[in-house]
Amino acid sequence: MKLLWSFLLLSCLCLGFLGNGHSEKPEHVKIGSIFSFDSVIGKVAKIAIEEAVKDVNSNPDILVGTRLQVSMQNSNCSGFMGMVEALRFMEKDIVGIIGPQCSVVAHMISHMANELRVPLLSFAVTDPVMSPLQFPYFIRTSQSDLYQMEAIASIVDFYGWKEVIAVFVDDDYGRNGVAALNDKLASRRLRITYKAGLHPDTAVNKNEIMNILIKIMLLQPRIIVIHVYSELGFAVFKEAKYLGMMGNGYVWIATDWLSTTLDSSSPLPSERLESIQGALVLRPHTPDSNLKREFFLRWRKIPDAPLALHTYGLYAYDSVMLLARALDKYFKHGGKISFSNDSMLDALGKSGSLNLEAMTVFDGGETLLKDILGTHMVGLTGQLQFTTDRSRIRPAYDIINVAGTGVRQIGYWSNHSGLSVVPPESHYTITQPNMSARPKLRHVIWPGEAFQKPRGWAFSNNGKELKIGVPRRVSYKEFVSQIRGTENMFKGFCIDVFTAAVNLLPYAVPVKFVPYGNGKENPSYTHMVEMITSGNFDGVVGDVAIVTNRTKIVDFTQPYAASGLVVVAPFKKLNSGAWAFLRPFNRLMWAVTACCFLFVGIVVWILEHRINDEFRGPPKRQCVTILWFSFSTMFFAHRENTVSTLGRLVLIIWLFVVLIINSSYTASLTSILTVQQLSSPIKGIDSLREMDDRIGYQVGSFAEHYLRDELNISESRLVPLGSPEAYAKALKDGPRKGGVAAIVDERPYVELFLSSNCAYRIVGQEFTKSGWGFAFPRDSPLAIDLSTAILELAENGDLQRIHDKWLMKNACTLENAELESDRLHLKSFWGLFLICGVACVLALFLYFIQILRQFYNGKPREEDEDAIGRENHDSSSLRSTRLQRFLSLMDEKEDVSKAGSKKRKIDGSMNDTSGSRHSRRFDRERSFNSVNPLD
């Protein structure tokens, strides 16, 4: 028992000893910091880091019992010096590094941090290429340039600009930033036209900067994004102002290097401030807070602060606080500061004199890294928290405008709400912010003190002319033709429209017309448009149709002429003739009309037969009555009176239908007899497709593609024709003599052809809708400006005057050029026939209901009862007897008293003469019906 108690006591002592040792904290924790002491960022970051260390050591809630010690090394933004200083840190048992400041240093020492497991908390490296997959121990506490370039792309897109020029420092920071800008622009169908890289030390080389800016001046885009270091950037702005590139028409967008300088050195020297007037500048956004305001007040009281506080100083302060809180969490979880030797470094150190064995691996580096990434805090820069890809949450930028003696804020950008004039944090509580009703940016004072938004591009003054392709037509030269004896001079309707539109532009457009085609036949317009995409032409001017396959590769201006495919065919004149009275209706219309007359006559007879003596009599007489009544209603000459309500209803509707038919027939026949009529077996594109005859089209026109690919007409039926004379000959010969049955071409050509060839006409309707426009490369700003000019030409009447100058012909009138069928078709009257038919069927239905009620409610006659009694076992005979009785009931006259009363009411409304005649006819029919077996 004593042995057991001794064992338990010893175990408790050991556990207590181990527990005390596990929670033991070091008195000092060493961290390092690498940045450029003499830079704008470095001067502020040095003091901010020192202030942060003071706050950590004086805070009773962070690292209780442990003091934070920081060692700072100057890298001077040199990759070699940064590596050397990092090696020195690794000999001092450093657990974390604040920095580096420059991308080139970050790329060098991140590999070392990976091997030695020392986290890097960079407050100024914005290079988007620093991936956590490649550099797991690199943590960015600032914002990535990926978001800054997204903000710039949003600005460019917001103002409607299409192309930009990028001026950047030619190192990892500059190249990778511009690569990100290129991707963001491309996602919005924008692009970087020219990239101008500057050596990091070019600030002292004035001539190199001047040469690059002169190249930029010779380019069309006027939107310049500058992504450099501060001294190099001001050197560029100085030379740009000297060259006049800070005046009207130019737009300069600077990344956060300029806002950092403006914040830390405000006010700038007058020479520098004057050179950046009108520039747009981005600044990392930090939400306003009491903590931030208090630190700014405290900063002003620091006697050694050489510069004002800027955003990257806040990032440096928060980086120290983040590392301190992570270390506090690390110690609370039982972490220890221990290092071990790397076997590979020991081997290399023994084989040389580099003393590599002095560098040790931080054993708790991986755990500390997780604690850093898992720490959430609110610092001077706002919420400090990381996403899964180790980017800071809620990236945002201020957009400021340099104007006068300072800057003015014109808006914000964030990845949550895009461009806005309100701070981004006001949108974070909204799931889907609706920004459509709000202005996205405030007004800007542009370079040259301009208030109107710059166009964003201009023709350079280097004397370079635009190469404009023009088709060398061999037919229809009224539209475009080469002036004889010249190489680059053209005339015609299209050329005059283009020249007039260019003259309306607020800038000069130097152009050089380049002929396209062999001059023997019309060129392929599709191939000519494709020359734009290959860079052979800067544009195409001519009678170019705007069709789908062309709009996929180029941009067109507003159409300056309406166009569309039509069918041209020969015609013959129709004389009146002896049978002209049949032509108003087609055969189907005549047949349906005749059937309706008979149908209505039969319906009225059925409805009137039992109660109206005028519809009774021998079978032959009743048939004659039906025919006479039916067709006499055509002229409203029917003499028979209708007695029944249903009969009158049917007759009223039918007389209305007859009225409409008579009026339409009269109008159509009048037109046929008084107006010259034209006829063609081809009624339009549909009838042309159903035929097997050959079809002509113009050489080089898109009509061939449309007929073959869209309408699936066999290529063997298509005949290329190259001139109006070939058109006329092919139509005159016809398909039997090797010609064509019709020609499919665009309306402007056809109208010009018909003005001098009156033997042909347009048949059917225009079956495609398009127009003619001028073609330019995709996203060309010239296409937009020329579209505005073409609309102005149309509004002031100049476009019509140019049309009349070239295309107004008096040789043959174009009146009634379109050939249409003059016949009336059933589809124009089917509604009337439907109404009449429904009325007839409804009346018959009601009539038969009445007959059936009488049939079942009335008593059978004696002979019928005898027949039923004799043949009650024969069902077929019973059905026959009932059918005979039903037919007999339909044919017999209604009760005399009822009919007589109705008759007296009707006769009382007639005149005496008419009444006598009807009475005598009634007596004769009664004497006849007494011997009529059907009665």
Side-chain angles (χ1 to χ4, degrees):
M1 191 66 179
K2 292 182 179 179
L3 182 61
L4 178 59
W5 280 107
S6 300
F7 176 79
L8 291 175
L9 181 61
L10 181 62
S11 299
C12 292
L13 291 174
C14 290
L15 289 174
F17 175 77
L18 291 175
N20 292 335
H22 188 69
S23 60
E24 182 181 357
K25 295 182 181 179
E27 294 183 1
H28 303 281
V29 176
K30 297 179 182 179
I31 64 172
S33 183
I34 300 178
F35 53 91
S36 180
F37 290 176
D38 297 330
S39 65
V40 175
I41 293 177
K43 290 178 181 179
V44 174
K46 183 176 184 297
I47 300 176
I49 292 173
E50 292 173 348
E51 293 299 314
V53 171
K54 291 179 183 178
D55 291 346
V56 169
N57 291 332
S58 61
N59 193 329
D61 298 327
I62 304 176
L63 293 177
V64 179
T66 302
R67 295 186 63 81
L68 198 63
Q69 292 183 349
V70 59
S71 299
M72 300 184 186
Q73 300 292 342
N74 185 10
S75 66
N76 201 27
C77 281
S78 166
F80 175 75
M81 290 302 298
M83 182 181 63
V84 171
E85 299 302 337
L87 288 173
R88 290 183 180 179
F89 278 147
M90 300 310 174
E91 297 178 353
K92 300 178 181 179
D93 294 339
I94 297 295
V95 299
I97 296 177
I98 305 299
Q101 172 189 339
C102 303
S103 296
V104 62
V105 179
H107 281 275
M108 294 293 294
I109 69 173
S110 290
H111 294 284
M112 188 183 306
N114 291 346
E115 294 296 329
L116 302 180
R117 303 176 190 170
V118 177
L120 300 177
L121 283 77
S122 176
F123 58 88
V125 173
T126 58
D127 185 354
V129 174
M130 298 297 294
S131 167
L133 296 177
Q134 184 180 8
F135 306 111
Y137 283 84
F138 176 83
I139 303 170
R140 192 196 326 267
T141 58
S142 60
Q143 297 180 12
S144 170
D145 275 343
L146 199 65
Y147 300 110
Q148 182 169 212
M149 299 309 168
E150 174 71 22
I152 293 176
S154 298
I155 295 172
V156 174
D157 189 32
F158 171 71
Y159 286 112
W161 301 317
K162 299 297 182 181
E163 298 178 340
V164 303
I165 294 174
V167 178
F168 63 97
V169 58
D170 196 6
D171 61 4
D172 292 336
Y173 161 74
R175 286 191 300 269
N176 296 333
V178 170
L181 175 62
N182 187 66
D183 293 340
K184 297 301 181 180
L185 290 173
S187 66
R188 301 170 180 265
R189 287 190 62 187
L190 313 174
R191 66 190 184 104
I192 298 178
T193 303
Y194 179 70
K195 300 176 183 178
L198 296 171
H199 192 275
D201 297 329
T202 313
V204 297
N205 192 341
K206 175 181 175 180
N207 292 333
E208 185 175 348
I209 296 176
M210 186 75 72
N211 291 337
I212 289 178
L213 292 178
I214 291 174
K215 289 181 181 179
I216 293 175
M217 289 180 64
L218 300 180
L219 300 174
Q220 290 187 6
R222 289 294 183 261
I223 314 300
I224 304 171
V225 178
I226 180 166
H227 185 55
V228 293
Y229 301 125
S230 58
E231 292 301 320
L232 180 58
F234 282 110
V236 171
F237 275 117
K238 180 181 179 181
E239 302 305 325
K241 181 172 178 59
Y242 175 78
L243 294 174
M245 297 176 68
M246 296 303 297
N248 287 338
Y250 283 91
V251 176
W252 289 81
I253 303 176
T255 53
D256 55 13
W257 66 268
L258 182 53
S259 62
T260 301
T261 305
L262 289 171
D263 291 342
S264 61
S265 304
S266 182
L268 284 175
S270 59
E271 182 182 0
R272 285 193 168 184
L273 188 61
E274 201 172 314
S275 67
I276 60 174
Q277 289 293 307
L280 294 181
V281 188
L282 271 72
R283 174 174 59 199
H285 175 73
T286 55
D288 194 18
S289 64
N290 292 331
L291 191 64
K292 177 181 171 181
R293 286 192 292 269
E294 290 174 1
F295 191 77
F296 268 91
L297 292 174
R298 174 181 165 188
W299 185 271
R300 296 190 185 99
K301 298 177 182 178
I302 299 176
D304 298 334
L307 299 172
L309 183 62
H310 53 63
T311 306
Y312 285 101
L314 302 178
Y315 284 138
Y317 180 92
D318 281 354
S319 299
V320 176
M321 298 301 295
L322 176 63
L323 180 57
R325 291 181 182 276
L327 284 169
D328 186 60
K329 184 188 298 184
Y330 174 77
F331 290 137
K332 288 180 179 180
H333 291 167
K336 284 187 175 183
I337 304 298
S338 62
F339 296 87
S340 59
N341 294 328
D342 188 296
S343 57
M344 295 181 60
L345 293 176
D346 289 342
L348 291 173
K350 293 178 181 179
S351 61
S353 57
L354 294 178
N355 196 27
L356 296 178
E357 65 275 7
M359 290 188 296
T360 55
V361 177
F362 179 30
D363 295 331
E366 186 174 354
T367 303
L368 179 60
L369 176 65
K370 293 179 180 179
D371 289 336
I372 294 173
L373 296 175
T375 299
H376 300 167
M377 58 170 280
V378 177
L380 300 180
T381 57
Q383 182 71 30
L384 187 51
Q385 184 178 341
F386 298 98
T387 62
T388 54
D389 62 351
R390 298 191 184 178
S391 298
R392 284 194 63 160
I393 63 170
R394 299 176 178 177
Y397 285 87
D398 300 335
I399 304 173
I400 58 178
N401 177 215
V402 181
T405 58
V407 297
R408 50 192 294 268
Q409 183 125 1
I410 63 170
Y412 305 88
W413 177 91
S414 74
N415 68 333
H416 179 74
S417 57
L419 296 175
S420 174
V421 294
V422 297
E425 48 269 19
S426 62
H427 297 295
Y428 292 145
T429 56
I430 305 175
T431 305
Q432 293 182 347
N434 182 15
M435 303 300 297
S436 58
R438 300 183 180 181
K440 292 187 175 182
L441 291 176
R442 298 186 181 92
H443 295 294
V444 178
I445 301 177
W446 303 100
E449 298 183 355
F451 292 91
Q452 185 177 3
K453 183 200 76 172
R455 187 171 57 249
W457 72 282
F459 281 100
S460 58
N461 55 0
N462 60 351
K464 181 183 177 182
E465 298 175 321
L466 292 180
K467 294 183 295 182
I468 303 297
V470 183
R472 295 179 64 185
R473 294 195 59 88
V474 297
S475 62
Y476 297 111
K477 294 187 176 181
E478 292 86 350
F479 295 104
V480 58
S481 63
Q482 189 173 12
I483 298 177
R484 183 176 299 178
T486 64
E487 183 179 355
N488 300 313
M489 296 181 66
F490 289 82
K491 64 179 181 179
F493 168 69
C494 302
I495 301 299
D496 281 6
V497 172
F498 177 75
T499 303
V502 169
N503 290 337
L504 291 178
L505 298 179
Y507 49 86
V509 182
V511 299
K512 176 183 179 182
F513 292 135
V514 180
Y516 179 78
N518 54 20
K520 299 179 181 179
E521 64 178 8
N522 294 333
S524 170
Y525 280 50
T526 299
H527 293 163
M528 181 171 60
V529 170
E530 290 174 351
M531 298 283 282
I532 297 177
T533 60
S534 61
N536 295 320
F537 291 149
D538 296 317
V540 168
V541 170
D543 45 341
V544 183
I546 304 173
V547 293
T548 304
N549 61 332
R550 296 173 185 171
T551 57
K552 293 178 180 178
I553 57 176
V554 297
D555 281 350
F556 282 92
T557 62
Q558 172 79 16
Y560 62 87
S563 180
L565 293 179
V566 294
V567 179
V568 180
F571 69 95
K572 62 180 180 179
K573 297 180 181 179
L574 294 179
N575 298 321
S576 314
W579 303 98
F581 68 92
L582 295 176
R583 283 169 48 196
F585 291 163
N586 62 3
R587 293 180 181 179
L588 180 60
M589 182 64 183
W590 279 117
V592 172
T593 304
C595 292
C596 284
F597 273 103
L598 291 175
F599 177 69
V600 172
I602 293 172
V603 171
V604 174
W605 176 83
I606 292 174
L607 298 175
E608 297 289 326
H609 175 66
R610 298 186 68 242
I611 61 175
N612 193 340
D613 291 333
E614 295 186 4
F615 288 88
R616 299 184 65 82
K620 181 178 179 180
R621 179 184 180 85
Q622 295 185 43
C623 291
V624 172
T625 301
I626 292 174
L627 293 174
W628 166 253
F629 179 84
S630 300
F631 291 101
S632 62
T633 55
M634 179 185 299
F635 311 103
F636 306 97
H638 56 286
R639 293 179 300 174
E640 291 77 11
N641 292 303
T642 53
V643 177
S644 66
T645 302
L646 295 176
R648 290 176 177 179
L649 175 64
V650 171
L651 185 60
I652 288 175
I653 295 176
W654 173 242
L655 290 178
F656 175 73
V657 174
V658 170
L659 175 65
I660 300 300
I661 294 176
N662 279 345
S663 302
S664 303
Y665 176 86
T666 303
S668 180
L669 183 61
T670 302
S671 174
I672 291 173
L673 296 177
T674 58
V675 179
Q676 178 178 275
Q677 301 296 313
L678 308 177
S679 175
S680 172
I682 301 173
K683 303 304 180 185
I685 188 62
D686 293 330
S687 61
L688 189 61
R689 290 177 61 185
E690 296 172 357
M691 302 168 61
D692 294 329
D693 295 333
R694 301 203 301 172
I695 305 171
Y697 67 90
Q698 185 180 173
V699 176
S701 172
F702 79 96
E704 177 189 9
H705 165 78
Y706 187 86
L707 294 172
R708 184 184 65 246
D709 298 338
E710 300 296 333
L711 300 183
N712 298 319
I713 296 177
S714 174
E715 193 169 359
S716 60
R717 293 180 55 193
L718 304 180
V719 179
L721 302 172
S723 64
E725 294 76 16
Y727 279 22
K729 185 178 184 305
L731 290 172
K732 182 179 180 181
D733 292 343
R736 296 183 179 180
K737 296 182 180 180
V740 297
I743 292 175
V744 175
D745 204 353
E746 296 178 68
R747 179 176 283 275
Y749 303 123
V750 170
E751 291 179 347
L752 196 59
F753 170 73
L754 295 180
S755 66
S756 57
N757 292 272
C758 300
Y760 313 103
R761 289 292 183 267
I762 297 174
V763 295
Q765 298 292 331
E766 186 176 301
F767 56 93
T768 65
K769 295 291 184 181
S770 62
W772 288 352
F774 305 129
F776 293 93
R778 296 297 297 270
D779 302 321
S780 171
L782 184 58
I784 299 175
D785 290 351
L786 280 177
S787 295
T788 305
I790 290 171
L791 290 175
E792 187 175 347
L793 288 176
E795 291 172 358
N796 61 26
D798 288 344
L799 189 60
Q800 184 61 41
R801 283 188 284 272
I802 296 173
H803 176 275
D804 295 343
K805 170 186 174 182
W806 289 98
L807 306 179
M808 183 64 71
K809 301 296 180 181
N810 298 320
C812 182
T813 179
L814 294 180
E815 293 181 2
N816 301 321
E818 292 192 13
L819 188 63
E820 297 288 346
S821 175
D822 51 20
R823 290 190 167 189
L824 299 175
H825 297 271
L826 178 62
K827 62 183 180 181
S828 303
F829 300 93
W830 72 269
L832 291 173
F833 287 130
L834 178 63
I835 294 173
C836 183
V838 171
C840 292
V841 172
L842 181 61
L844 287 176
F845 177 73
L846 296 176
Y847 175 76
F848 279 115
I849 288 178
Q850 295 175 1
I851 295 297
L852 289 174
R853 290 180 61 189
Q854 294 181 17
F855 177 74
Y856 286 107
N857 295 335
K859 295 182 179 180
R861 294 181 299 183
E862 294 180 1
E863 55 272 23
D864 294 340
E865 293 178 352
D866 295 340
I868 294 172
R870 291 192 302 267
E871 301 175 3
N872 53 2
H873 298 292
D874 191 348
S875 60
S876 61
S877 177
L878 178 60
R879 286 193 297 269
S880 176
T881 302
R882 289 181 176 178
L883 179 60
Q884 291 177 5
R885 180 169 172 262
F886 180 76
L887 295 177
S888 177
L889 179 63
M890 288 187 61
D891 185 61
E892 72 180 9
K893 195 173 186 303
E894 199 172 290
D895 187 91
V896 177
S897 60
K898 297 179 181 179
S901 61
K902 295 180 181 179
K903 184 65 178 177
R904 283 193 299 272
K905 292 179 182 179
I906 297 172
D907 290 344
S909 64
M910 299 180 180
N911 57 51
D912 296 335
T913 304
S914 176
S916 299
R917 185 175 64 252
H918 282 247
S919 177
R920 289 194 298 271
R921 183 185 303 165
F922 178 75
D923 293 337
R924 289 196 302 269
E925 289 180 354
R926 287 185 62 188
S927 61
F928 184 83
N929 289 340
S930 62
V931 295
N932 184 13
L934 294 176
D935 198 44

